[in-house]
């Protein structure tokens, strides 16, 4: 029993427990999501020491802006190759939690505010990792949407929001890519810690979704280990030095825990070890090729937000000055467990100077530890102003490392004051100002964006971001990224703002399903740059939208295609470029509140000038559904659907309306069901209708919302209590048959 229980937790920070007697090895796991953070043997446990060098790819916020599943799969493969070379069997990532608030300190590690986009991209990354025989641990399951009080916070979420938004990301990844493991989150969901949440870990995850991999804890996320084993939690990480294993053994001995639960958990651990343990760390690696892939990914991640008067691409670098310490000291990744020790590090200044030696540079503001840190601010500003006079300024601004990290949330959306001062100073004298932003999550631009000619959001672009930006501004590469998160005009317009990050140990997800653009649009709040937005150096035209809809019957499976939208995209400009047409649906006759627009598909198309392509986007029954809290299942309804093709959630290029036919939703009828609900039920309505004949069309509306048990009270002439009792008895048989 003790030997079995020992398998329930890690042997140290990064390994499972070996059993020498049986020749069971220890499996090594390692962060992280956009590059390995493998600690050398005997490194400090907290992982504060530098890890073994690995390629630092753009972080998830950047990768998500590519909307490019093929690229994500390629990166997954590269991550797995590096894992294999370092003897790592399971990569602790990707992190896929939804971006509920732009302030979450870990948003740089997460993909999107939209569950479909986050799910598709993360699934592609997982598929890439696992195609090389390395396991992925998709994290943090579930509802880990803030860092404030992350180890204890109780996320209060209604059932529909949980299903449609927070869980559906994981559900999609499991369906598409079968990850080897999930990592459960620290927090509680509706009063139960994820690490001991039977509903989450067993009923939903395994029984409904059919997940047959392993669930491990986030590092130190165990609350009650015995309850965890019973709930479906398999592996505790890291080691709790035997403490929790002993508690489990005692619980089995005293019949407080069924030994079958323990056996199930360790079987999954053994299966994972057998499948993913690496025996031969020696593995040839082409780190040069990975750096090149990181560059391509950084280039694809950049989102051109604004480009007034075609300020970009630059026609030459002759009149250009580079300003901003971040051009020389790049901010390229975030802090915390995902921090990679890069194999190389490009910076934009050197990359631009390779194209144009002697390009002038001024730091403009200090960054901690940078060469400019010793100069007084006034001096830095004065020199920047002098250098900018009459020139085109490439102005590098962003969030310093301390502003966003695992472990805490941001307090505001603003750029640092000295960056904004620099911008205004430079603007007064420069001929053009082109802002290049480095930050892991949305920053406010509304207070300064009208003052600049162009803005390119680079996110945290990884180790090759410097070279990527040099190629983008000079036109060697074309920007192709699209926003995977909204850039709000101000924090106060954001739906999450009413509740985030909660108080007294609890955060209420009061916006429900109206996360990100869904909520902004519902409230009529226009952001600075909408979800899906991104400019290119070419132009596209979208034409000929058509939609085919199949009737949904009782036999239509959730994964069957019901709606197919087709249209044509043409590159009407003079350069090769990437179009990302986005399919949004709106449900005009829905019986429940639905967002004005929901992303239901997208395509990533690279087109030569003049090239046109016919696109088809298919939507399944599941993706047309809402989560019905009365039947606890996915539901589609008959009604009109607005089909839209957008270049962003606010820039709709094509639109049509179509009708979906679906079987009526037959809710079990009771005396508390309304007249309308009885009416939807053919068998029952036949019986009730004759009693209501006295009501004319003019008065009928009054009845519709009335529970039938109120009829004898309010209109005794219509229906007596006795008649109602009889009716209910008859109906019970009809309802149970249907
Ligand atoms: C983080 C995880 C990470 C783990 C191991 C935790 O603090 O939340 O994302 O994988 O540490 O480093």
């Amino acid at each position: 029993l003790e030997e079995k229980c020992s398998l329930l937790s890690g042997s140290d920070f990064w390994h499972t427990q070996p059993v020498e007697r049986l020749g069971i090895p220890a499996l090594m796991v390692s962060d992280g999501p956009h590059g390995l953070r493998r600690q050398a043997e005997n490194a400090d446990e907290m992982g504060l020491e530098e890890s073994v060098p690995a390629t630092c790819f753009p972080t998830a916020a950047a990768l998500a802006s590519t909307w490019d599943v093929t690229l994500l799969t390629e990166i997954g493969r590269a991550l797995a190759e590096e894992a294999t070379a370092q003897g790592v069997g399971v990569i602790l990532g990707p992190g896929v939690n939804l971006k509920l608030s732009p302030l979450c300190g870990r948003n740089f590690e997460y993909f999107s505010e939209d569950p479909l986009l986050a799910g598709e991209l993360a699934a592609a990354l997982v598929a890439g990792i696992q195609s090389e025989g390395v396991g992925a641990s998709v994290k943090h399951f579930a509802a880990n949407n803030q860092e404030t009080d992350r180890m204890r916070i109780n996320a209060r979420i209604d059932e529909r929001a949980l299903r449609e938004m927070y869980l559906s990301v994981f559900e999609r990844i499991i369906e598409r890519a079968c990850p080897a493991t999930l990592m459960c989150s620290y927090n509680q969901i509706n009063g139960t810690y994820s690490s001991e949440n039977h509903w989450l870990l067993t009923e939903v995850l395994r029984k409904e979704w059919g997940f047959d991999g392993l669930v491990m804890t986030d590092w130190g996320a165990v609350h009650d280990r015995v309850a965890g084993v019973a709930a479906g939690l398999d592996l505790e990480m890291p080691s709790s030095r035997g403490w929790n294993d002993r508690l489990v053994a005692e619980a089995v001995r005293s019949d407080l825990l069924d030994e079958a639960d323990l056996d199930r958990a360790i079987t999954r651990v053994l299966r994972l070890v057998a499948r993913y343990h690496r025996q031969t760390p020696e593995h040839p690696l082409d780190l040069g090729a990975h750096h090149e892939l990181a560059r391509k990914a950084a280039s694809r991640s950049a989102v051109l937000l604004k480009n007034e008067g075609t300020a970009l691409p630059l026609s030459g670098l002759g009149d250009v000055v580079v300003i901003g310490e971040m051009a020389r000291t790049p901010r390229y990744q975030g802090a915390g467990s995902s921090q990679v020790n890069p194999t190389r590090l490009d910076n934009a200044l050197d990359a631009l100077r390779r194209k144009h030696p002697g390009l002038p540079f001024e730091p403009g503001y200090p960054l901690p530890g940078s060469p400019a840190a010793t100069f007084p601010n006034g001096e830095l500003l004065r020199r920047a102003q002098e250098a900018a006079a009459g020139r085109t300024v490439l102005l590098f601004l962003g969030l310093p490392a301390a502003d966003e990290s695992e472990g805490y949330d941001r307090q505001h959306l603003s750029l640092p004051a000295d960056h904004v001062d620099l911008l205004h100073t430079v603007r007064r004298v420069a001929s053009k100002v082109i802002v290049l932003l480095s930050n892991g999550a949305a920053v406010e631009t509304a207070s300064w964006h009208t003052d600049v000619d162009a803005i390119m959001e680079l996110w945290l672009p990884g180790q090759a971001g410097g070279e990527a930006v040099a190629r983008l501004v000079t036109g060697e590469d074309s920007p192709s990224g699209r926003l995977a998160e909204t850039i709000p005009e101000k924090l106060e317009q954001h739906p999450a703002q009413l509740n985030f990050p909660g108080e007294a140990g609890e955060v209420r997800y009061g916006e429900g399903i109206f996360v990100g653009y869904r909520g902004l649009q519902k409230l009529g709040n226009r952001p600075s740059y909408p979800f899906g937005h991104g400019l290119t150096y070419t132009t596209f035209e979208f034409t000929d939208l058509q939609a085919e809809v199949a009737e949904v019957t009782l036999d239509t499976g959730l994964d069957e295609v019901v709606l197919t939208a087709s249209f044509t995209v043409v590159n009407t400009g003079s350069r090769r470029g990437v179009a990302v047409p986005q399919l949004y649906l709106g449900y005009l006759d829905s019986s429940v509140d639905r967002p004005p627009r929901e992303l239901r598909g997208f395509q990533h198309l690279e087109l030569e000038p003049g090239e046109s392509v016919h696109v088809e986007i298919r939507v399944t029954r599941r993706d047309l559904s809402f989560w019905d809290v009365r039947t606890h299942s996915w539901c589609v309804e008959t009604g009109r659907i607005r089909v839209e093709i957008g270049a962003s959630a606010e820039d709709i290029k094509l639109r049509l309306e179509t009708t979906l036919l679906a079987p009526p939703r037959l809710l079990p009828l009771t005396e508390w069901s309304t007249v309308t609900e009885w009416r939807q039920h053919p068998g029952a309505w036949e019986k009730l209708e004759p009693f209501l004949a006295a009501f004319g069309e003019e008065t009928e509306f009054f009845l519709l919302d009335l529970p039938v048990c109120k009829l004898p009270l309010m209109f005794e002439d219509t229906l007596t209590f006795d008649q109602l009792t009889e009716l209910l008895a008859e109906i019970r048989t009809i309802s149970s048959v249907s």
Side-chain angles (χ1 to χ4, degrees):
L1 181 62
E2 270 68 25
E3 194 173 63
K4 283 206 281 188
C5 289
S6 76
L7 286 164
L8 285 176
S9 61
S11 61
D12 60 17
F13 236 61
W14 307 115
H15 293 89
T16 59
Q17 183 69 44
V19 182
E20 256 172 56
R21 186 180 74 83
L22 299 168
I24 297 168
L27 168 81
M28 187 178 0
V29 301
S30 173
D31 290 304
H34 52 265
L36 277 200
R37 185 178 71 102
R38 183 171 84 74
Q39 301 282 284
E41 302 302 325
N42 309 322
D44 67 319
E45 283 201 333
M46 288 302 291
L48 299 174
E49 280 175 19
E50 266 193 357
S51 50
V52 177
T55 308
C56 179
F57 291 96
T59 74
L63 290 179
S65 307
T66 67
W67 295 55
D68 184 351
V69 287
T70 313
L71 178 67
L72 275 271
T73 301
E74 227 181 303
I75 290 171
R77 266 192 237 114
L79 288 171
E81 280 168 20
E82 297 200 16
T84 302
Q86 297 199 24
V88 170
V90 171
I91 292 175
L92 305 176
V96 303
N97 297 97
L98 223 53
K99 298 185 191 197
L100 166 60
S101 160
L103 297 181
C104 171
R106 259 182 125 167
N107 273 0
F108 71 89
E109 265 189 83
Y110 298 149
F111 288 80
S112 180
E113 65 191 30
D114 182 88
L116 181 137
L117 182 63
E120 292 291 336
L121 294 170
L125 189 75
V126 170
I129 294 173
Q130 299 204 152
S131 69
E132 294 291 315
V134 172
S137 187
V138 178
K139 64 192 187 183
H140 309 89
F141 189 56
N144 179 184
N145 307 100
Q146 64 183 55
E147 290 301 282
T148 304
D149 206 10
R150 70 169 165 159
M151 300 223 175
R152 301 181 306 181
I153 194 82
N154 180 23
R156 280 259 165 238
I157 316 179
D158 68 70
E159 182 184 338
R160 190 171 160 210
L162 247 179
R163 292 292 189 151
E164 289 186 28
M165 305 305 295
Y166 302 98
L167 296 184
S168 73
V169 185
F170 292 92
E171 185 186 8
R172 190 174 292 272
I173 299 167
I174 289 167
E175 189 195 305
R176 297 266 193 282
C178 299
T181 104
L182 290 193
M183 183 189 290
C184 78
S185 59
Y186 288 119
N187 50 282
Q188 306 175 56
I189 301 175
N190 296 329
T192 309
Y193 280 95
S194 298
S195 59
E196 60 198 50
N197 195 324
H198 189 268
W199 172 80
L200 184 72
L201 301 184
T202 296
E203 285 163 49
V204 174
L205 178 63
R206 298 192 187 279
K207 292 196 183 149
E208 280 184 38
W209 299 349
F211 177 72
D212 73 344
L214 168 138
V215 179
M216 67 173 81
T217 58
D218 196 346
W219 266 228
V222 162
H223 176 244
D224 175 337
R225 184 60 175 120
V226 175
V229 174
L233 167 67
D234 305 310
L235 177 65
E236 173 187 16
M237 287 302 288
S239 155
S240 56
R241 304 194 168 83
W243 177 265
N244 281 326
D245 304 341
R246 269 195 300 280
L247 294 181
V248 174
E250 275 165 29
V252 171
R253 284 218 166 82
S254 46
D255 283 339
L256 292 171
L257 180 72
D258 189 344
E259 191 161 0
D261 289 338
L262 165 64
D263 289 350
R264 206 182 38 224
I266 64 162
T267 304
R268 293 196 194 115
V269 173
L270 291 172
R271 241 175 29 201
L272 188 81
V273 174
R275 180 139 185 220
Y276 293 105
H277 170 65
R278 299 265 158 235
Q279 249 152 0
T280 47
E282 289 313 315
H283 187 82
L285 260 192
D286 186 350
L287 288 174
H290 287 185
H291 184 79
E292 190 49 29
L293 179 59
R295 186 199 53 71
K296 177 172 150 192
S299 163
R300 291 272 162 117
S301 305
V303 183
L304 183 58
L305 297 176
K306 167 176 179 172
N307 195 18
E308 208 102 308
T310 326
L312 286 174
L314 299 169
S315 46
L317 291 169
D319 80 326
V320 168
V321 55
V322 179
I323 296 181
E325 182 59 53
M326 282 179 178
R328 175 171 64 178
T329 310
R331 173 92 204 293
Y332 64 101
Q333 65 171 332
S337 62
S338 67
Q339 196 161 324
V340 178
N341 179 15
T343 57
R344 279 164 60 177
L345 183 56
D346 289 351
N347 71 57
L349 181 60
D350 289 349
L352 286 161
R353 279 182 171 162
R354 277 196 289 278
K355 293 184 182 295
H356 190 93
L359 198 64
F361 166 73
E362 282 300 329
Y365 54 81
L367 282 180
S370 72
T374 51
F375 290 91
N377 252 15
E379 169 73 2
L380 293 173
L381 276 185
R382 192 189 56 69
R383 285 174 48 171
Q385 182 169 13
E386 230 173 80
R391 286 180 170 257
T392 295
V393 178
L394 288 178
L395 184 59
F396 286 78
L397 307 177
L399 293 178
D403 275 31
E404 45 185 355
S405 164
E406 178 176 338
Y408 53 88
D409 295 316
R410 273 190 298 164
Q411 303 298 315
H412 56 77
L413 273 190
S414 313
L415 286 175
D418 53 0
H419 290 223
V420 180
D421 285 350
L422 174 66
L423 185 150
H424 292 310
T425 305
V426 160
R427 172 69 285 179
R428 280 195 285 276
V429 296
S431 65
K432 270 188 195 151
V433 179
I434 293 162
V435 172
L436 292 312
L437 287 174
S438 301
N439 40 274
V443 291
E444 178 270 325
T445 61
S447 60
W448 52 263
H449 66 176
T450 48
D451 294 342
V452 302
D453 300 278
I455 309 173
M456 194 182 288
E457 174 58 84
L458 307 173
W459 305 111
L460 300 180
Q463 68 180 46
E467 183 65 34
V469 71
R471 291 169 65 132
L472 285 165
V473 295
T474 53
E476 201 174 325
D477 286 347
S478 289
S480 58
R482 305 295 193 280
L483 290 178
E485 62 194 86
T486 305
I487 300 184
E489 193 184 282
K490 50 184 185 226
L491 204 48
E492 294 74 17
Q493 68 169 188
H494 201 279
Q497 220 22 47
L498 279 174
N499 303 293
F500 185 88
E503 59 202 6
E506 188 155 301
V507 55
R508 225 163 34 81
Y509 286 35
E511 66 295 305
I513 56 164
F514 295 100
V515 177
Y517 69 90
R518 288 168 165 78
L520 283 155
Q521 294 192 334
K522 174 86 176 163
L523 297 168
N525 291 337
R526 275 191 89 87
S528 291
Y529 298 100
F531 176 82
H533 169 76
L535 305 172
T536 63
Y537 293 159
T538 186
T539 48
F540 298 100
E541 208 176 274
F542 301 75
T543 56
D544 303 329
L545 173 61
Q546 290 179 11
E548 251 179 57
V549 189
E551 183 174 345
V552 174
T553 68
L554 291 173
D555 296 328
T556 310
L558 278 178
D559 57 355
E560 272 181 53
V561 173
V562 170
L563 185 148
T564 306
S566 61
F567 52 97
T568 301
V569 183
V570 194
N571 181 345
T572 46
S574 53
R575 299 175 67 112
R576 184 192 172 99
V578 168
V580 182
Q582 300 150 37
L583 170 67
Y584 293 96
L585 299 184
Y587 311 86
L588 305 178
D589 302 315
S590 178
S591 65
V592 298
D593 209 3
R594 298 194 79 167
R597 231 169 241 143
E598 283 190 302
L599 183 75
R600 279 297 165 254
F602 62 91
Q603 290 256 319
H604 182 275
L605 309 164
E606 195 157 2
L607 299 180
E608 297 295 338
E611 190 181 349
S612 82
V613 61
H614 181 74
V615 180
E616 270 191 15
I617 300 181
R618 294 176 195 72
V619 186
T620 60
R621 174 177 179 158
R622 161 71 177 77
D623 281 344
L624 287 167
S625 306
F626 66 89
W627 181 261
D628 186 348
V629 295
R630 288 183 289 190
T631 57
H632 309 289
S633 61
W634 295 106
C635 177
V636 276
E637 294 174 314
T638 292
R640 288 166 302 147
I641 297 187
R642 192 170 42 218
V643 179
E644 296 175 317
I645 302 299
S648 80
E650 298 278 348
D651 182 10
I652 300 304
K653 304 288 191 192
L654 302 170
R655 172 178 296 142
L656 60 73
E657 239 176 71
T658 184
T659 301
L660 174 75
L661 296 176
R665 226 163 17 124
L666 295 183
L667 298 171
L669 291 179
T670 69
E671 64 266 43
W672 279 97
S673 304
T674 62
V675 170
T676 302
E677 285 158 2
W678 279 59
R679 199 181 218 176
Q680 284 159 354
H681 201 302
W685 182 238
E686 246 170 53
K687 305 220 172 284
L688 180 64
E689 195 182 13
F691 291 104
L692 305 181
F695 287 91
E697 264 180 26
E698 317 79 60
T699 44
E700 201 191 64
F701 73 93
F702 185 78
L703 288 180
L704 300 179
D705 267 355
L706 211 66
V708 293
C709 62
K710 298 292 172 193
L711 286 170
L713 269 180
M714 303 180 81
F715 309 103
E716 206 194 350
D717 297 350
T718 313
L719 185 72
T720 64
F721 279 107
D722 287 340
Q723 286 169 326
L724 174 64
T725 313
E726 256 172 56
L727 199 58
L728 286 168
E730 287 178 49
I731 286 316
R732 233 151 254 148
T733 28
I734 300 176
S735 297
S736 60
V737 171
S738 67

